[in-house]
Amino acid sequence: MESIASLLEAGSEVLRNAGIPDPRREASSLMEHAIGRRRAFILAHPEHVPGADEKSSYREFIRRRSDREPFHYITGVKEFFGLEFSVSPAVLIPRPETEILVERAILRLSGREKPRFCEVGVGSGCISIALLANLPAAEAVGLEISPDAIRMARTNSIEHGVASRLDLRESNVFEALGHGEKFDVIVSNPPYVPAADLGGLQPEVRDFEPHQALTDQMDGMSIIQRLIHEAPAFLNREGTLMFEFGFAQGEQVRGTFSPEIWTELTFQDDLQGIPRIAAAILAK
Protein backbone atom coordinates (compact mmCIF):
# COMPACT_ATOMS: atom_id res chain seq x y z
CA MET A 1 0.00 0.00 0.00
CA GLU A 2 1.44 3.36 -1.04
CA SER A 3 1.68 5.73 1.89
CA ILE A 4 2.13 9.49 1.94
CA ALA A 5 5.83 8.93 2.65
CA SER A 6 6.42 6.67 -0.36
CA LEU A 7 4.37 8.88 -2.68
CA LEU A 8 6.28 11.96 -1.56
CA GLU A 9 9.60 10.23 -2.12
CA ALA A 10 8.65 9.21 -5.65
CA GLY A 11 7.12 12.59 -6.47
CA SER A 12 10.13 14.47 -5.14
CA GLU A 13 12.42 12.42 -7.35
CA VAL A 14 10.35 13.19 -10.46
CA LEU A 15 10.43 16.92 -9.68
CA ARG A 16 14.15 16.81 -8.87
CA ASN A 17 14.88 15.22 -12.25
CA ALA A 18 12.76 17.92 -13.93
CA GLY A 19 14.91 20.64 -12.36
CA ILE A 20 12.27 21.97 -9.97
CA PRO A 21 13.89 23.91 -7.09
CA ASP A 22 13.09 22.51 -3.63
CA PRO A 23 11.31 19.43 -5.03
CA ARG A 24 10.42 17.98 -1.62
CA ARG A 25 8.56 21.11 -0.57
CA GLU A 26 6.65 21.29 -3.84
CA ALA A 27 5.79 17.59 -3.73
CA SER A 28 4.46 18.05 -0.21
CA SER A 29 2.41 21.10 -1.24
CA LEU A 30 0.91 19.17 -4.15
CA MET A 31 0.07 16.36 -1.75
CA GLU A 32 -1.79 18.84 0.45
CA HIS A 33 -3.84 19.88 -2.55
CA ALA A 34 -4.47 16.30 -3.70
CA ILE A 35 -5.73 14.94 -0.39
CA GLY A 36 -7.27 18.13 1.03
CA ARG A 37 -5.12 18.06 4.17
CA ARG A 38 -2.76 20.59 5.70
CA ARG A 39 0.98 20.12 5.93
CA ALA A 40 0.77 19.34 9.65
CA PHE A 41 -1.26 16.21 8.85
CA ILE A 42 1.23 15.12 6.19
CA LEU A 43 4.15 15.55 8.58
CA ALA A 44 2.36 13.79 11.45
CA HIS A 45 0.97 10.87 9.41
CA PRO A 46 3.54 9.72 6.83
CA GLU A 47 2.07 6.22 7.05
CA HIS A 48 -1.40 7.38 5.90
CA VAL A 49 -2.57 5.70 2.68
CA PRO A 50 -4.47 8.13 0.41
CA GLY A 51 -7.48 6.91 -1.54
CA ALA A 52 -7.20 5.81 -5.16
CA ASP A 53 -8.60 9.09 -6.52
CA GLU A 54 -6.29 11.11 -4.28
CA LYS A 55 -3.26 9.16 -5.47
CA SER A 56 -4.31 9.60 -9.08
CA SER A 57 -4.73 13.35 -8.58
CA TYR A 58 -1.35 13.62 -6.88
CA ARG A 59 0.45 11.79 -9.70
CA GLU A 60 -1.26 14.04 -12.26
CA PHE A 61 -0.18 17.14 -10.31
CA ILE A 62 3.40 15.85 -10.20
CA ARG A 63 3.34 15.18 -13.95
CA ARG A 64 2.06 18.67 -14.70
CA ARG A 65 4.61 20.31 -12.41
CA SER A 66 7.43 18.25 -13.92
CA ASP A 67 6.38 19.71 -17.29
CA ARG A 68 7.07 23.10 -15.63
CA GLU A 69 3.44 24.15 -15.41
CA PRO A 70 3.29 26.77 -12.64
CA PHE A 71 2.34 25.43 -9.24
CA HIS A 72 -0.45 27.97 -8.82
CA TYR A 73 -2.10 27.04 -12.11
CA ILE A 74 -2.21 23.45 -10.86
CA THR A 75 -3.79 24.39 -7.53
CA GLY A 76 -5.86 27.21 -9.09
CA VAL A 77 -5.23 29.66 -6.24
CA LYS A 78 -2.62 32.23 -5.22
CA GLU A 79 -2.38 34.34 -2.06
CA PHE A 80 -1.86 38.07 -2.58
CA PHE A 81 -1.98 40.88 -0.02
CA GLY A 82 -3.50 38.52 2.53
CA LEU A 83 -6.29 37.40 0.19
CA GLU A 84 -6.71 34.20 -1.83
CA PHE A 85 -7.31 34.60 -5.57
CA SER A 86 -8.44 32.11 -8.17
CA VAL A 87 -5.97 31.98 -11.07
CA SER A 88 -5.79 30.23 -14.42
CA PRO A 89 -3.67 30.48 -17.59
CA ALA A 90 -5.97 33.37 -18.59
CA VAL A 91 -4.21 35.64 -16.06
CA LEU A 92 -0.77 36.32 -14.68
CA ILE A 93 -0.01 34.76 -11.33
CA PRO A 94 0.14 37.61 -8.78
CA ARG A 95 3.69 38.47 -7.69
CA PRO A 96 4.84 39.59 -4.25
CA GLU A 97 6.47 42.64 -5.86
CA THR A 98 3.06 43.89 -6.97
CA GLU A 99 2.03 44.19 -3.33
CA ILE A 100 4.33 47.23 -3.20
CA LEU A 101 2.16 48.86 -5.85
CA VAL A 102 -0.94 48.16 -3.76
CA GLU A 103 0.71 49.64 -0.66
CA ARG A 104 1.60 52.82 -2.55
CA ALA A 105 -1.93 53.15 -3.93
CA ILE A 106 -3.48 52.71 -0.48
CA LEU A 107 -1.33 55.55 0.83
CA ARG A 108 -2.48 57.83 -2.01
CA LEU A 109 -6.16 56.93 -1.64
CA SER A 110 -6.43 56.85 2.16
CA GLY A 111 -8.10 59.80 3.84
CA ARG A 112 -10.34 60.64 0.90
CA GLU A 113 -14.06 60.59 1.58
CA LYS A 114 -14.95 58.61 -1.57
CA PRO A 115 -11.75 57.54 -3.32
CA ARG A 116 -12.06 56.44 -6.93
CA PHE A 117 -9.37 54.65 -8.89
CA CYS A 118 -8.88 52.93 -12.23
CA GLU A 119 -6.76 49.87 -12.94
CA VAL A 120 -5.47 49.30 -16.48
CA GLY A 121 -4.91 45.60 -17.19
CA VAL A 122 -6.91 44.14 -14.34
CA GLY A 123 -6.00 40.47 -14.93
CA SER A 124 -7.07 38.34 -11.96
CA GLY A 125 -8.29 41.49 -10.23
CA CYS A 126 -5.75 41.13 -7.43
CA ILE A 127 -4.70 44.81 -7.38
CA SER A 128 -8.19 46.32 -7.55
CA ILE A 129 -9.71 43.80 -5.16
CA ALA A 130 -6.91 44.21 -2.60
CA LEU A 131 -7.39 48.00 -2.77
CA LEU A 132 -11.16 47.77 -2.40
CA ALA A 133 -10.86 45.31 0.48
CA ASN A 134 -8.64 47.79 2.33
CA LEU A 135 -10.57 50.92 1.35
CA PRO A 136 -14.25 50.27 2.16
CA ALA A 137 -15.42 53.61 0.74
CA ALA A 138 -13.54 53.26 -2.55
CA GLU A 139 -14.96 52.54 -5.99
CA ALA A 140 -13.04 51.37 -9.04
CA VAL A 141 -13.10 50.79 -12.77
CA GLY A 142 -11.06 47.84 -14.01
CA LEU A 143 -10.00 47.88 -17.68
CA GLU A 144 -8.87 44.66 -19.37
CA ILE A 145 -8.45 43.62 -23.00
CA SER A 146 -8.98 39.89 -22.35
CA PRO A 147 -12.57 38.67 -21.86
CA ASP A 148 -11.28 35.53 -20.11
CA ALA A 149 -9.35 37.66 -17.64
CA ILE A 150 -12.44 39.79 -16.99
CA ARG A 151 -14.39 36.65 -16.11
CA MET A 152 -11.67 35.61 -13.67
CA ALA A 153 -11.57 39.08 -12.10
CA ARG A 154 -15.35 39.08 -11.75
CA THR A 155 -15.23 35.67 -10.01
CA ASN A 156 -12.62 36.97 -7.58
CA SER A 157 -14.50 40.21 -6.94
CA ILE A 158 -17.63 38.27 -6.03
CA GLU A 159 -15.65 35.93 -3.78
CA HIS A 160 -14.22 38.88 -1.85
CA GLY A 161 -17.47 40.84 -1.67
CA VAL A 162 -16.39 43.87 -3.71
CA ALA A 163 -18.17 43.21 -7.03
CA SER A 164 -20.64 46.06 -6.48
CA ARG A 165 -17.72 48.52 -6.25
CA LEU A 166 -15.67 47.22 -9.20
CA ASP A 167 -16.88 48.15 -12.70
CA LEU A 168 -15.10 45.77 -15.09
CA ARG A 169 -14.88 46.81 -18.75
CA GLU A 170 -13.29 45.22 -21.81
CA SER A 171 -10.85 47.83 -23.03
CA ASN A 172 -7.56 48.42 -24.83
CA VAL A 173 -5.89 50.71 -22.28
CA PHE A 174 -8.29 53.68 -21.76
CA GLU A 175 -10.59 53.17 -24.75
CA ALA A 176 -13.65 52.12 -22.70
CA LEU A 177 -13.60 55.21 -20.48
CA GLY A 178 -16.13 57.93 -21.16
CA HIS A 179 -15.28 61.57 -21.71
CA GLY A 180 -15.04 63.30 -18.37
CA GLU A 181 -14.48 60.19 -16.23
CA LYS A 182 -11.97 61.11 -13.54
CA PHE A 183 -10.00 59.20 -10.92
CA ASP A 184 -7.82 59.97 -7.93
CA VAL A 185 -5.38 57.21 -8.88
CA ILE A 186 -4.69 55.23 -12.04
CA VAL A 187 -2.73 52.06 -11.34
CA SER A 188 -1.33 49.41 -13.65
CA ASN A 189 0.93 46.40 -13.97
CA PRO A 190 1.26 46.64 -17.76
CA PRO A 191 2.91 44.19 -20.21
CA TYR A 192 6.48 45.49 -20.07
CA VAL A 193 8.68 42.52 -21.02
CA PRO A 194 10.47 43.24 -24.33
CA ALA A 195 9.58 40.63 -26.96
CA ALA A 196 13.28 39.89 -27.40
CA ASP A 197 13.52 38.84 -23.75
CA LEU A 198 10.66 36.31 -23.76
CA GLY A 199 12.94 33.41 -24.67
CA GLY A 200 15.06 33.96 -21.58
CA LEU A 201 12.19 33.78 -19.11
CA GLN A 202 11.64 30.78 -16.85
CA PRO A 203 9.68 28.00 -18.61
CA GLU A 204 6.84 28.46 -16.11
CA VAL A 205 6.40 32.05 -17.31
CA ARG A 206 7.41 31.74 -20.97
CA ASP A 207 5.36 28.64 -21.77
CA PHE A 208 2.29 29.04 -19.58
CA GLU A 209 1.49 32.63 -18.58
CA PRO A 210 -0.48 34.77 -21.07
CA HIS A 211 1.92 36.59 -23.40
CA GLN A 212 -0.61 39.38 -23.90
CA ALA A 213 -0.16 40.26 -20.23
CA LEU A 214 3.63 39.90 -20.33
CA THR A 215 4.73 41.75 -23.45
CA ASP A 216 3.57 44.35 -25.96
CA GLN A 217 5.39 42.28 -28.62
CA MET A 218 7.76 45.22 -29.03
CA ASP A 219 10.25 46.83 -26.65
CA GLY A 220 8.00 46.62 -23.57
CA MET A 221 7.45 50.38 -23.45
CA SER A 222 4.45 50.99 -25.71
CA ILE A 223 1.72 50.49 -23.07
CA ILE A 224 3.74 52.41 -20.48
CA GLN A 225 4.03 55.32 -22.94
CA ARG A 226 0.27 55.23 -23.52
CA LEU A 227 -0.36 55.27 -19.77
CA ILE A 228 1.83 58.33 -19.28
CA HIS A 229 0.51 60.23 -22.30
CA GLU A 230 -3.20 59.37 -21.96
CA ALA A 231 -3.72 59.23 -18.17
CA PRO A 232 -3.87 63.03 -17.63
CA ALA A 233 -7.26 63.16 -19.37
CA PHE A 234 -8.70 60.82 -16.74
CA LEU A 235 -7.09 62.07 -13.54
CA ASN A 236 -8.50 64.51 -11.03
CA ARG A 237 -6.44 67.55 -10.16
CA GLU A 238 -3.29 66.31 -8.39
CA GLY A 239 -4.27 62.73 -9.23
CA THR A 240 -1.60 60.03 -9.30
CA LEU A 241 -0.45 57.60 -11.97
CA MET A 242 1.52 54.60 -10.69
CA PHE A 243 2.66 51.46 -12.46
CA GLU A 244 5.24 48.69 -12.58
CA PHE A 245 8.02 48.67 -15.15
CA GLY A 246 10.75 46.27 -16.16
CA PHE A 247 14.43 45.78 -15.48
CA ALA A 248 16.59 48.52 -17.03
CA GLN A 249 13.56 50.56 -18.19
CA GLY A 250 13.93 53.23 -15.52
CA GLU A 251 15.61 55.88 -17.66
CA GLN A 252 13.16 55.36 -20.51
CA VAL A 253 10.28 55.72 -18.08
CA ARG A 254 11.79 58.87 -16.57
CA GLY A 255 12.27 60.41 -20.01
CA THR A 256 8.65 59.78 -20.98
CA PHE A 257 7.22 61.92 -18.16
CA SER A 258 6.96 65.57 -19.18
CA PRO A 259 7.79 67.93 -16.28
CA GLU A 260 5.20 70.34 -17.69
CA ILE A 261 2.45 67.76 -17.05
CA TRP A 262 3.76 65.66 -14.17
CA THR A 263 5.37 66.45 -10.84
CA GLU A 264 6.87 64.53 -7.90
CA LEU A 265 8.06 61.61 -10.04
CA THR A 266 9.35 58.85 -7.76
CA PHE A 267 10.70 55.35 -8.18
CA GLN A 268 10.57 52.49 -5.71
CA ASP A 269 12.62 49.30 -5.65
CA ASP A 270 11.16 45.81 -5.59
CA LEU A 271 12.09 43.08 -3.10
CA GLN A 272 15.38 42.46 -4.96
CA GLY A 273 16.41 46.12 -4.83
CA ILE A 274 15.58 46.70 -8.52
CA PRO A 275 13.65 49.87 -9.48
CA ARG A 276 10.13 48.59 -10.19
CA ILE A 277 7.39 51.14 -9.36
CA ALA A 278 6.99 54.60 -10.90
CA ALA A 279 4.57 57.17 -9.50
CA ALA A 280 3.86 60.76 -10.51
CA ILE A 281 1.27 63.41 -9.71
CA LEU A 282 -0.61 65.40 -12.31
CA ALA A 283 0.76 68.92 -12.19
CA LYS A 284 -2.10 70.71 -13.89
Side-chain angles (χ1 to χ4, degrees), residues 126-147:
C126 65
I127 294 173
S128 286
I129 292 168
L131 287 171
L132 291 170
N134 284 273
L135 298 163
E139 294 183 349
V141 173
L143 307 177
E144 171 58 57
I145 198 170
S146 164

Side-chain angles (χ1 to χ4, degrees), residues 73 85-94 98 119-129 141-157 166 168-171 187-191 209-210 212-214:
Y73 285 162
F85 290 88
S86 295
V87 295
S88 77
V91 300
L92 292 181
I93 297 168
T98 305
E119 181 184 0
V120 178
V122 77
S124 67
C126 65
I127 294 173
S128 286
I129 292 168
V141 173
L143 307 177
E144 171 58 57
I145 198 170
S146 164
D148 290 337
I150 289 175
R151 283 189 284 272
M152 181 63 70
R154 183 168 289 113
T155 295
N156 283 319
S157 70
L166 178 57
L168 293 166
R169 306 180 194 175
E170 187 175 343
S171 181
V187 63
S188 182
N189 179 13
E209 298 205 60
Q212 189 176 50
L214 288 169

Side-chain angles (χ1 to χ4, degrees), residues 5 9-10 12 14 17 42 56 71 88 116 120 125 152 171 174 182 185 188 194 204 215 217 224 233 257-258 263 276:
E9 187 62 34
S12 299
V14 171
N17 291 337
I42 292 171
S56 177
F71 174 86
S88 77
R116 192 164 189 258
V120 178
M152 181 63 70
S171 181
F174 295 112
K182 299 285 186 178
V185 167
S188 182
E204 286 86 345
T215 180
Q217 298 297 338
I224 288 174
F257 279 98
S258 167
T263 186
R276 181 68 62 187

Side-chain angles (χ1 to χ4, degrees), residues 3-20:
S3 65
I4 283 178
S6 62
L7 288 165
L8 284 179
E9 187 62 34
S12 299
E13 184 64 19
V14 171
L15 297 184
R16 186 176 298 108
N17 291 337
I20 302 297

Side-chain angles (χ1 to χ4, degrees), residues 71-87:
F71 174 86
H72 297 289
Y73 285 162
I74 297 171
T75 64
V77 294
K78 177 67 170 71
E79 189 274 337
F80 178 84
F81 217 78
L83 303 171
E84 191 172 86
F85 290 88
S86 295
V87 295

Side-chain angles (χ1 to χ4, degrees), residues 69-279:
E69 183 175 350
F71 174 86
H72 297 289
Y73 285 162
I74 297 171
T75 64
V77 294
K78 177 67 170 71
E79 189 274 337
F80 178 84
F81 217 78
L83 303 171
E84 191 172 86
F85 290 88
S86 295
V87 295
S88 77
V91 300
L92 292 181
I93 297 168
R95 268 68 167 176
E97 291 82 1
T98 305
E99 294 183 346
I100 301 170
L101 189 61
V102 174
E103 291 170 353
R104 290 287 299 272
I106 289 174
L107 288 174
R108 290 298 304 171
L109 292 164
S110 293
R112 298 175 186 265
E113 186 176 346
K114 289 192 67 174
R116 192 164 189 258
F117 67 89
C118 174
E119 181 184 0
V120 178
V122 77
S124 67
C126 65
I127 294 173
S128 286
I129 292 168
L131 287 171
L132 291 170
N134 284 273
L135 298 163
E139 294 183 349
V141 173
L143 307 177
E144 171 58 57
I145 198 170
S146 164
D148 290 337
I150 289 175
R151 283 189 284 272
M152 181 63 70
R154 183 168 289 113
T155 295
N156 283 319
S157 70
I158 293 169
E159 176 66 25
H160 292 292
V162 300
S164 64
R165 295 188 285 132
L166 178 57
D167 179 3
L168 293 166
R169 306 180 194 175
E170 187 175 343
S171 181
N172 183 348
V173 191
F174 295 112
E175 288 179 0
L177 292 183
H179 180 71
E181 284 196 82
K182 299 285 186 178
F183 303 93
D184 301 306
V185 167
I186 293 174
V187 63
S188 182
N189 179 13
Y192 55 71
V193 178
D197 293 350
L198 281 177
L201 299 177
Q202 290 181 319
E204 286 86 345
V205 178
R206 181 191 66 226
D207 299 336
F208 291 93
E209 298 205 60
H211 282 198
Q212 189 176 50
L214 288 169
T215 180
D216 59 359
Q217 298 297 338
M218 293 184 281
D219 65 352
M221 283 294 298
S222 67
I223 303 300
I224 288 174
Q225 289 165 345
R226 286 192 64 184
L227 289 171
I228 296 171
H229 292 145
E230 297 176 25
F234 303 104
L235 281 171
N236 287 322
R237 186 173 179 271
E238 297 186 342
T240 301
L241 170 66
M242 56 179 65
F243 57 84
E244 290 192 36
F245 60 90
F247 177 76
Q249 290 177 333
E251 289 310 307
Q252 287 177 281
V253 170
R254 186 183 300 277
T256 307
F257 279 98
S258 167
E260 297 178 354
I261 300 173
W262 299 98
T263 186
E264 297 184 40
L265 174 61
T266 60
F267 293 89
Q268 185 164 342
D269 292 350
D270 64 16
L271 302 176
Q272 285 73 47
I274 299 169
R276 181 68 62 187
I277 307 294

